[in-house]
DNA sequence: ATGGGCATGTAACGAGTTACATGATTTT
DNA sequence: AAAATCATGTAACTCGTTACATGCCCAT
């Protein structure tokens, strides 16, 4: 597939394309493998795509001329491919960042879903789901703190998001704990768990 | 397609099937249209499926004998279809609720994503994205409060989730406000926005 | 020498979306 | 009379996932 000619209207790419493009907008030359690792760090506030998807997006971006590829031949296995964002890619990314309307977040919260259908479950099941979730959320918090430490002062905006994430998980922990407490009360005496503070 | 015979291992259905099944597990006979409206209330913590998806799931569930259908003939348009959960459906739902491992939540937060790539955007753009988000989050809070009022005391578990949701949005509002403040500081003087309290 | 990280890829699949079509009934 | 709501459905599409395959290089 030949690259698109310059000067045409910005192709509207799937969200994941822009994620990859954004990761490359920091200016570094990266492999698909590298990109996957970076994308993993988005998991705290944006789901990270499957490995195979990254490679698909890179091929797509390349077909649009938004990234360029440098191959290093390997013996007895596929070439190693390094990707770098092109000026056109940077322009497309900026246009997306500035012009594209920002959709509200979507959340898929299986724990809350189980709780919603609590009338069909034994209370211990709900308690255990909540407890596991608490554990997971606490782990996320420490992971985020580690990430922030690794990021250092070089990436102020990612750091801002990571800080947001820390607050997010702290709130989730508080809410889950409040729910666990509320679950101990018999349903009719159950008080609305208020937002603390 | 003929319904599956009883006694076989629980078919593993997509998540949305269980959402529909769960909605029917309250015992009421509902139309696809009704279900869609109910499913909308899940949007606060679980994305709600497209309308066409609900109908697809209902056909799927029926083909597995997990719901039964009652049709009311209409003149000059498709039959009106009422659905009710079957004992097999209730069993399948309970099995899912009790046995299926509970996955951690996934979040897709376009606002945070934009902020992450803030190095390519003008500060006003980031501020305006955050401000719109704040407005949206506040609207969610009032919507949730209305929902809780409408739910009354009949649905204790959904109410518990709604209370969780209120805390969630309150936290998001606080975090977005903190980020907005942090954005006003020059990057080098920028303090980590701490969790208040 | 065994396992884990690096690194790229293919194939099959399906869930879910968007857009469209139709038309009755109720509300304004 | 118009608009919103009720109500069901089809068709085309694609994003994204899971599972698999290959093989190098490095550490223990």
């Amino acid at each position: 597939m030949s690259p698109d000619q310059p000067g045409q209207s910005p192709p509207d790419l799937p969200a994941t394309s822009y994620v990859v493009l954004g990761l490359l907008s920091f200016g570094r030359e990266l492999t698909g493998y590298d990109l996957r690792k970076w994308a993993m760090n988005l998991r705290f506030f944006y789901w990270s795509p499957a490995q195979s998807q990254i490679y698909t997006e890179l091929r797509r971006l390349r077909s649009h001329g938004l990234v360029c590829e440098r191959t290093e031949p390997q013996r007895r296995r596929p070439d190693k491919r390094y990707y770098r964002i092109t000026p056109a890619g940077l322009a497309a990314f900026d246009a997306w960042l500035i012009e594209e309307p920002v959709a509200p977040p979507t959340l898929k919260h299986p724990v809350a879903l189980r709780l919603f259908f609590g009338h069909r479950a034994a209370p211990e099941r709900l308690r255990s789901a909540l407890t596991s979730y608490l554990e997971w959320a606490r782990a996320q918090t420490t992971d985020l703190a580690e990430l922030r430490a690794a990021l250092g002062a070089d990436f102020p905006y990612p750091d801002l998001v990571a800080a947001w994430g820390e607050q997010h998980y702290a709130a989730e922990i508080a809410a889950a704990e409040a729910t666990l407490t509320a679950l101990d009360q018999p349903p009719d005496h159950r008080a609305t768990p208020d937002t603390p503070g």
Side-chain angles (χ1 to χ4, degrees), chain A:
Chain A
M1 200 177 294
S2 65
D4 298 347
Q5 296 309 312
Q8 59 181 42
S9 61
D12 74 337
L13 306 163
T16 310
S17 272
Y18 289 108
V19 170
V20 171
L21 218 43
L23 256 14
L24 287 167
S25 79
F26 290 97
R28 301 228 270 233
E29 193 185 48
L30 300 167
T31 66
Y33 196 84
D34 293 333
L35 279 161
R36 190 184 159 247
K37 280 190 303 182
W38 280 106
M40 291 271 294
N41 294 333
L42 301 181
R43 72 179 185 280
F44 300 105
F45 61 94
Y46 209 87
W47 112 111
S48 40
Q51 169 256 100
S52 66
Q53 189 64 12
I54 302 275
Y55 289 100
T56 304
E57 296 303 339
L58 283 170
R59 281 189 287 266
R60 189 205 310 268
L61 290 169
R62 187 166 169 253
S63 84
H64 288 283
L66 304 178
V67 302
C68 61
E69 189 187 81
R70 182 174 65 82
T71 60
E72 259 178 22
Q74 307 284 306
R75 16 175 208 144
R76 299 178 147 277
R77 77 189 136 133
D79 291 350
K80 195 169 174 183
R81 293 157 190 271
Y82 290 92
Y83 294 92
R84 189 180 282 280
I85 196 166
T86 63
L90 213 46
F93 180 70
D94 288 354
W96 170 80
L97 191 56
I98 294 164
E99 287 157 27
E100 189 78 1
V102 182
T106 53
L107 181 61
K108 246 185 185 180
H109 205 314
V111 183
L113 189 64
R114 293 314 197 289
L115 187 63
F116 188 91
F117 296 129
H119 65 292
R120 297 293 310 171
E124 314 95 66
R125 167 61 173 167
L126 299 178
R127 294 187 56 85
S128 96
L130 279 166
T131 308
S132 312
Y133 178 55
L134 271 172
E135 237 173 272
W136 179 84
R138 287 195 242 268
Q140 297 301 108
T141 309
T142 51
D143 288 358
L144 257 176
E146 273 171 34
L147 178 62
R148 290 186 75 181
L151 246 41
D154 298 332
F155 300 96
Y157 290 102
D159 189 64
L160 229 37
V161 177
W164 185 337
E166 281 181 0
Q167 287 181 257
H168 168 80
Y169 288 108
E172 281 292 284
I173 290 166
E177 281 169 346
T179 306
L180 222 33
T181 307
L183 226 42
D184 283 335
Q185 315 300 122
D188 23 328
H189 300 148
R190 209 174 271 166
T192 297
D194 289 317
T195 309

